[in-house]
Amino acid sequence: MNMMTGIGSVPSPTHPAKEFLAHETECRSALKPLLDGLIDMAESAGWSRRTAASTLMFLAAQHVSASATSVSSGS
């Protein structure tokens, strides 16, 4: 079951990663409406916007940390 129905899709980048600032800005613009939609869904389910946002920050940091660990261990 797809719990994210109605949120949308992520557009592909038009700026290459080597154009760091443009690439990062474009990614933020692409993900912001999706994040807003996810937080709206969490709020509709009864979570506060603050709790949902802080949980997403925690999960994102955890993801980055896990990615860094897998890169350094050669996985």
Side-chain angles (χ1 to χ4, degrees), residues 9-31:
S9 61
V10 178
S12 299
T14 59
H15 297 281
K18 67 181 180 181
E19 293 177 15
F20 181 77
L21 292 177
H23 188 74
E24 290 282 321
T25 299
E26 184 176 27
C27 187
R28 285 186 197 109
S29 295
L31 295 181

Side-chain angles (χ1 to χ4, degrees), residues 32-33 35-44 46-57:
K32 186 177 182 328
L35 180 61
D36 291 342
L38 183 57
I39 291 173
D40 288 345
M41 288 172 57
E43 185 178 36
S44 293
W47 300 101
S48 73
R49 293 184 79 76
R50 181 182 181 96
T51 298
S54 65
T55 298
L56 290 168
M57 289 189 309

Side-chain angles (χ1 to χ4, degrees), residues 56-74:
L56 290 168
M57 289 189 309
F58 172 82
L59 292 171
Q62 191 176 46
H63 180 78
V64 169
S65 178
S67 295
T69 301
S70 66
V71 168
S72 67
S73 67

